[in-house]
């Protein structure tokens, strides 16, 4: 199984606070049957310096690989906070999952503007990026439906799918083919992969469909 969204790089953001936490997170992933984790540290273009982010991510990734000897494959991506004009960032391909043009994009919680819609269009049409919207379960469904209508794809967090209430409302997005990935969005070790496992149990064959879309999207990286 593939975890598309995880904050497991030591000290790279407010997720894992250090190497020991990262190693425990990976142990929990192994125990849950995860074979690939996309590490997605937050990148906030309005406040983070791009080169510094890349440098921090690289050193965190190398340090983790140096100390981790388990079975999970780790790919270093990013969770990119969307802002108007992001498409102008030189070298933004480095934020994609390595070997692909797939970028995990986090929408702002408030104030979705038409400028963001245009930024998404330019990211796709001019920069050749395939944005995947992070945890679409958190946002106004009308906004998400409009973005799906433009050809954007979505990632669901395991958390809402692990709960009995409201999770059925997410199924039409899965059955419509818009959801291409499931993510733990793990930050520390408290919750681990318990929600992920419950979500997989709930989804049944729907999980297989999501997983196959994710692997197809990342075929050059896996
Ligand atoms: Fe996240």
């Amino acid at each position: 199984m593939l975890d598309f969204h995880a904050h497991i790089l030591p000290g790279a953001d407010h997720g894992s606070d250090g190497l020991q936490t990262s190693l425990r997170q990976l142990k929990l992933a192994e125990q849950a049957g995860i074979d690939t984790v996309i590490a997605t540290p937050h990148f906030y273009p309005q406040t983070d310096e791009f080169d510094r982010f890349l440098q921090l991510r690289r050193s965190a990734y190398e340090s983790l690989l140096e100390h981790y000897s388990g079975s999970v494959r780790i790919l270093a991506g990013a969770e990119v906070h969307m802002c108007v004009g992001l498409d102008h960032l030189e070298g933004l391909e480095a934020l994609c999952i390595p070997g692909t043009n797939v970028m995990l994009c986090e929408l702002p919680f408030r104030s979705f503007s038409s400028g963001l819609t245009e930024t998404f269009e330019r990211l796709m049409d001019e920069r050749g990026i395939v944005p995947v919207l992070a945890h679409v379960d958190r946002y106004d469904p009308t906004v998400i439906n409009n973005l799906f209508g433009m050809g954007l794809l979505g990632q669901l967090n395991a958390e809402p799918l692990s709960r009995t209430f409201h999770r059925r409302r997410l199924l039409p997005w899965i059955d419509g083919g818009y959801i291409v990935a499931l993510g733990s969005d793990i930050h520390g070790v408290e919750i681990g992969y318990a929600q992920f496992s419950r979500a997989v149990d709930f989804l049944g064959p729907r999980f297989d469909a999501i997983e196959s879309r994710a692997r197809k999207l990342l075929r050059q990286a896996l």
Side-chain angles (χ1 to χ4, degrees):
M1 294 190 292
L2 191 149
D3 179 4
F4 202 86
H5 182 161
H7 299 270
I8 59 152
L9 292 188
D13 63 4
H14 63 261
S16 165
D17 57 6
L19 197 52
Q20 291 313 312
T21 296
S22 299
L23 294 173
R24 285 172 64 199
Q25 288 174 316
L26 286 165
K27 183 50 109 181
L28 293 167
E30 281 173 34
Q31 288 165 349
I34 305 283
D35 61 62
T36 304
V37 173
I38 315 293
T40 52
H42 287 283
F43 174 62
Y44 298 102
Q46 282 136 324
T47 50
D48 290 344
E49 209 268 300
F50 185 45
D51 290 338
R52 196 176 134 62
F53 169 81
L54 295 180
Q55 199 176 25
L56 181 63
R57 184 183 64 173
R58 190 182 317 114
S59 61
Y61 181 67
E62 285 172 0
S63 156
L64 184 54
L65 288 198
E66 193 183 321
H67 292 89
Y68 177 63
S69 54
S71 58
V72 175
R73 180 205 309 229
I74 307 156
L75 299 173
E79 179 176 8
V80 182
H81 194 82
M82 279 303 293
C83 64
V84 173
L86 178 72
D87 53 296
H88 297 304
L89 180 64
E90 199 178 326
L92 65 80
E93 292 77 8
L95 298 169
C96 294
I97 297 165
T100 77
N101 52 358
V102 177
M103 183 188 287
L104 184 66
C105 297
E106 180 185 37
L107 294 173
F109 279 107
R110 296 180 203 89
S111 68
F112 187 88
S113 69
S114 59
L116 274 186
T117 306
E118 289 155 15
T119 298
F120 273 123
E121 281 171 343
R122 289 195 300 270
L123 276 176
M124 293 189 287
D125 299 342
E126 295 171 23
R127 301 297 298 262
I129 303 287
V130 177
V132 173
L133 302 170
H135 37 58
V136 285
D137 41 279
R138 289 192 189 171
Y139 302 93
D140 178 350
T142 307
V143 169
I144 298 300
N145 283 329
N146 286 339
L147 292 168
F148 286 162
M150 284 170 54
L152 285 142
L153 304 168
Q155 172 257 317
L156 282 178
N157 270 7
E159 190 264 344
L161 292 164
S162 71
R163 297 177 187 276
T164 308
F165 296 111
H166 304 308
R167 62 184 175 183
R168 300 201 75 80
R169 76 179 168 87
L170 301 169
L171 298 183
W173 282 345
I174 298 171
D175 295 340
Y178 302 112
I179 302 302
V180 295
L182 188 64
S184 66
D185 204 359
I186 190 170
H187 280 68
V189 291
E190 295 76 20
I191 295 165
Y193 279 83
Q195 292 175 336
F196 196 98
S197 298
R198 281 204 295 275
V200 171
D201 286 347
F202 166 66
L203 289 171
R206 286 185 171 100
F207 174 76
D208 300 332
I210 295 171
E211 178 89 350
S212 111
R213 286 178 208 135
R215 290 190 183 266
K216 198 170 161 194
L217 206 57
L218 302 182
R219 60 188 175 281
Q220 290 144 309
L222 299 177

